[in-house]
Amino acid sequence: MTPSTVVAEPIAGAVALEPYRSYPFRLQLDLAQRYKTQFIDVINAGTPGEQASQAVARFQSVLGLHQPDVVLLMEGTNDIDPAVSGASAALSAIESMVAAATAAGADVFLATIPPQRGTAAANLVPSYNTKIRSIAARRGAQFLDVFSIIKNGQCAVLSARSIQAS
């Protein structure tokens, strides 16, 4: 495995992160240590700054190209800005992406977006994440509560069967 498995382009003006410190690289290392008899390739096909509603066609293309067994989907951080008011479009796009991944045979892990600091959207995140939880329950996706992990310092991965849809 090499750092080249990280394929997302960096955000202009952001602090550069060495590929070996990136989440996809570290995830691949962790999975390789746990599943020694399997080859696992982690592909970061995210696009920084993209809104979820703009991601659907690209996501479907990536599904066709890589044919993943598992998809970890976290979308919406760029959509919940009150000036953009794209949360509804983001949620619709996420529902479409979960459906596409499931139809392609992938197991889907749907993640909440993390807490926001210093933005007008910070107060909108909890209600947005509640809707993400509902999508996971409706679509049978695994639910990964990144918001709570970061905010409370605890890990909570729940199956769709244990989620109460709101």
Side-chain angles (χ1 to χ4, degrees), residues 24-136:
F25 185 80
R26 297 191 55 130
L27 176 61
Q28 185 157 344
L29 284 177
D30 185 46
L31 292 172
Q33 288 174 352
R34 290 177 192 230
Y35 303 100
K36 295 181 188 295
T37 62
Q38 300 176 30
F39 174 75
I40 298 173
D41 192 18
V42 174
I43 298 168
N44 177 5
T47 300
E50 179 180 61
Q51 292 185 332
S53 59
Q54 301 165 337
V56 176
R58 184 186 58 75
F59 180 79
Q60 290 172 339
S61 174
V62 167
L63 279 175
L65 178 64
H66 296 289
Q67 301 174 346
D69 294 317
V70 177
V71 170
L72 171 58
L73 184 61
M74 178 193 291
E75 287 277 353
T77 301
N78 298 319
D79 300 86
I80 63 167
D81 183 339
V84 176
S85 66
S88 293
L91 293 164
S92 177
I94 290 166
E95 189 123 21
S96 294
M97 288 185 269
V98 171
T102 302
D107 292 328
V108 179
F109 284 77
L110 185 56
T112 58
I113 62 173
Q116 305 297 301
R117 290 182 287 177
T119 70
N123 293 334
L124 302 174
V125 173
S127 67
Y128 179 84
N129 283 336
T130 296
K131 293 172 184 154
I132 293 292
R133 178 186 290 262
S134 295
I135 292 170

Side-chain angles (χ1 to χ4, degrees), residues 106-164:
D107 292 328
V108 179
F109 284 77
L110 185 56
T112 58
I113 62 173
Q116 305 297 301
R117 290 182 287 177
T119 70
N123 293 334
L124 302 174
V125 173
S127 67
Y128 179 84
N129 283 336
T130 296
K131 293 172 184 154
I132 293 292
R133 178 186 290 262
S134 295
I135 292 170
R138 248 189 335 277
R139 293 290 178 172
Q142 298 295 315
F143 178 73
L144 180 58
D145 194 353
V146 170
F147 182 91
S148 292
I149 292 168
I150 292 172
K151 187 161 177 92
N152 303 324
Q154 57 188 324
C155 184
V157 177
L158 304 172
S159 72
R161 290 179 292 282
S162 65
I163 300 171
Q164 297 296 319

